[in-house]
Amino acid sequence: MSIKTVLQKKFENLFVSIVVNDAECVLRCKVLKKGAVLKTFTKTFSLTLPLEALDQALETYLMHLQDEYRFVYIAYLLDALGQGAIEGVDKKSLQRHNIDTETTYCLSVRNQWTAYAASMEIKSVKNLFSEAGVDFIVSPFIVLSDFVSSQKPKNKPTCYLLNGHNFFIMAVFNETRLHFGAFFKTQNESSFTRSNDLNDWENEQKEEEIVGAGELPELAHGETEQEELDELGELSDLDTIDDLRSGDTFSDVDDKTLGFFKGLNEIKEEDVSLELYGRDLTVYKYLKSSLEEYYHNPLYPSEFIEEIIIFDGYEVSSDLIHQIEDELMMDVELHKVDIGEKVCDLAIREVFQ
C-alpha cells in the first residue's frame, strides 16, 4: 500500500456502486475512514429509457457527493450485451473463441481466465458519466467470481448462476478456474442505445476501465486528489406523497366497492406472477442451451455437472428450481445476495489493498 493510500485512509472515502434495474438506478454507498465503515446508505433514481444520458437528478446528486466528500469512487456494473468470459488468457485462447482484441477489452483474471467486453460498451458507459465521471466499470463475471471464492471450493466442475434484475450470467468453475461463461439479458430492451456505425468497432481504441479482482484500474480523474472539501449539508430527501389514510378516504365506501379494489390487487399480483413465470422460462431456456453448448462444443472440457449454485440478486421462483432439478437432473443450491453491495466492496478492496 502506497504512502498516499495510507494517508488517504485517514480521511472519509465514499464508495458508490451503481446498478441499473430496468428504468431504475440503484446506488449503494459506503463511507470509510481509517478502515472502518462509518455510514451506508442507498438511493434510487428513475431513469428515462433509452438511456442516452444520465437523468439530471442523478447527475446532480453524484456531483454533490463529490463536493461533500474528499475522496469519491464510483463503480458501475456493466450489464450490456457484448461481454462474456473464457478459459485461458493468451492470444491463442482468444483466437479460438473468435475474440477480436482490436474491438474488445480483455481482462486476465488470476492468470487463468479472461473476462471480456466490447469496447463500444465501455465507451458508452464513459460517455454516460462524462460529467460525473466513473472510476470503475465492473464485469458481472468478476462479481460472480468473488461470490464463488467466498464459498468452499468445489474440486469438480460446478455450474454457477448470478441472477440480476434484468440479466443473468451462467458460468462453469472448477474451484476458482472458469471453464465456460455466458451473459444473457432477461429484458427485451438494452440499457444503452447503440451506434449502428460499424466503423466504431474498427476504430475503437482499447479501453482500460473494466474491473477485475485485484486489477480494478482507476480512470485518470480518479488518480488526482479532489479539491478541499466544501462544507455542504446532506441533500434533503425528495418530498413524497403522504400515504392515504383509510379512515379519511374510504369511510363512505361500501363493501362491494372494496371488493372491486381487492380484485384489482389480485389482478396485479397475477400479472407479477406471470411476469416472473415468463422470466423463469427465459432463464431456463438460456441455461439449458448453455449447458448443451458446454457439453457438445469441443472448446470446453465437457465434464458432467451435477450441481448448480445460484447467487440470486433478484428473484428465483421455486418452479424454476424444481424444473432444473427434474429436467436437468441437477442439485440446486440457492444463496440470496446483494449485487450492488458486492460491487461497492470490490471497489473498496481495489483502492485499499
Side-chain angles (χ1 to χ4, degrees):
M1 187 180 294
S2 66
I3 296 177
K4 174 186 173 182
T5 303
V6 173
L7 294 174
Q8 181 180 330
K9 293 181 70 174
K10 299 180 181 296
F11 297 90
E12 290 188 347
N13 292 259
L14 173 65
F15 293 84
V16 182
S17 74
I18 299 179
V19 178
V20 174
N21 299 330
D22 294 337
E24 263 188 358
C25 185
V26 181
L27 278 60
R28 294 296 303 269
C29 308
K30 291 187 178 184
V31 180
L32 276 74
K33 184 177 181 180
K34 297 180 179 179
V37 178
L38 300 182
K39 181 170 60 174
T40 63
F41 55 96
T42 302
K43 291 288 185 181
T44 302
F45 292 88
S46 297
L47 298 175
T48 303
L49 298 178
L51 192 56
E52 297 177 336
L54 287 186
D55 284 14
Q56 188 62 46
L58 172 56
E59 188 167 77
T60 300
Y61 183 72
L62 292 174
M63 301 288 280
H64 274 286
L65 289 177
Q66 290 171 336
D67 289 334
E68 185 176 353
Y69 292 91
R70 185 178 183 87
F71 299 100
V72 179
Y73 296 92
I74 298 174
Y76 180 87
L77 178 67
L78 186 65
D79 67 340
L81 293 170
Q83 62 176 314
I86 63 167
E87 183 177 11
V89 297
D90 57 5
K91 188 174 182 180
K92 289 184 177 179
S93 297
L94 299 177
Q95 290 176 342
R96 279 200 306 269
H97 291 270
N98 297 318
I99 296 175
D100 184 358
T101 56
E102 295 297 319
T103 59
T104 308
Y105 178 79
C106 300
L107 174 70
S108 172
V109 183
R110 301 188 188 94
N111 203 32
Q112 295 177 336
W113 56 277
T114 300
Y116 66 87
S119 299
M120 274 180 53
E121 302 293 2
I122 303 295
K123 183 177 181 181
S124 294
V125 176
K126 291 179 64 179
N127 290 339
L128 194 65
F129 290 89
S130 58
E131 294 297 326
V134 59
D135 298 282
F136 307 114
I137 300 175
V138 185
S139 164
F141 289 95
I142 301 302
V143 175
L144 175 59
S145 176
D146 203 67
F147 281 127
V148 172
S149 298
S150 68
Q151 303 288 309
K152 183 179 179 180
K154 302 276 187 179
N155 58 357
K156 61 180 180 179
T158 304
C159 180
Y160 293 88
L161 193 150
L162 178 64
N163 185 43
H165 190 282
N166 60 352
F167 75 92
F168 80 94
I169 62 174
M170 176 268 194
V172 176
F173 282 88
N174 190 333
E175 295 185 339
T176 59
R177 189 183 189 92
L178 179 142
H179 293 308
F180 176 92
F183 176 95
F184 302 99
K185 297 285 282 188
T186 57
Q187 303 293 331
N188 291 328
E189 294 184 355
S190 174
S191 298
F192 301 113
T193 56
R194 293 178 174 82
S195 169
N196 291 324
D197 186 359
L198 295 179
N199 290 329
D200 286 348
W201 289 86
E202 298 176 356
N203 299 327
E204 190 66 53
Q205 294 182 348
K206 277 191 176 181
E207 304 295 343
E208 301 177 351
E209 290 78 35
I210 201 166
V211 172
E215 298 184 44
L216 290 90
E218 298 180 27
L219 297 183
H221 82 274
E223 296 175 354
T224 60
E225 294 190 1
Q226 300 177 6
E227 297 294 328
E228 291 293 332
L229 172 64
D230 294 331
E231 293 298 324
L232 289 177
E234 288 286 332
L235 291 176
S236 58
D237 293 333
L238 296 176
D239 292 334
T240 57
I241 300 175
D242 292 335
D243 293 333
L244 293 174
R245 299 184 184 88
S246 58
D248 297 337
T249 309
F250 297 117
S251 59
D252 298 327
V253 180
D254 57 28
D255 291 340
K256 291 182 178 178
T257 307
L258 286 174
F260 174 74
F261 283 111
K262 290 177 182 176
L264 285 179
N265 289 334
E266 291 173 359
I267 291 174
K268 290 179 181 178
E269 291 176 1
E270 183 179 348
D271 288 343
V272 172
S273 298
L274 287 174
E275 180 181 355
L276 181 59
Y277 176 72
R279 188 184 190 278
D280 285 347
L281 289 178
T282 300
V283 172
Y284 178 79
K285 178 182 70 174
Y286 288 140
L287 174 60
K288 183 180 178 182
S289 65
S290 295
L291 289 171
E292 291 173 350
E293 173 77 7
Y294 172 77
Y295 284 131
H296 299 299
N297 192 322
L299 287 173
Y300 309 110
S302 304
E303 298 178 66
F304 185 70
I305 299 174
E306 300 175 348
E307 184 180 14
I308 178 170
I309 298 176
I310 302 174
F311 296 103
D312 181 26
Y314 176 50
E315 188 172 359
V316 172
S317 72
S318 58
D319 291 335
L320 176 60
I321 293 175
H322 293 323
Q323 189 174 19
I324 294 173
E325 291 174 333
D326 296 340
E327 298 187 20
L328 299 181
M329 305 297 290
M330 300 174 71
D331 296 327
V332 179
E333 185 178 312
L334 180 67
H335 300 275
K336 294 295 292 185
V337 297
D338 189 321
I339 296 176
E341 183 173 9
K342 177 62 72 173
V343 171
C344 197
D345 290 342
L346 284 170
I348 293 171
R349 190 187 308 165
E350 177 61 22
V351 172
F352 289 129
Q353 283 191 357

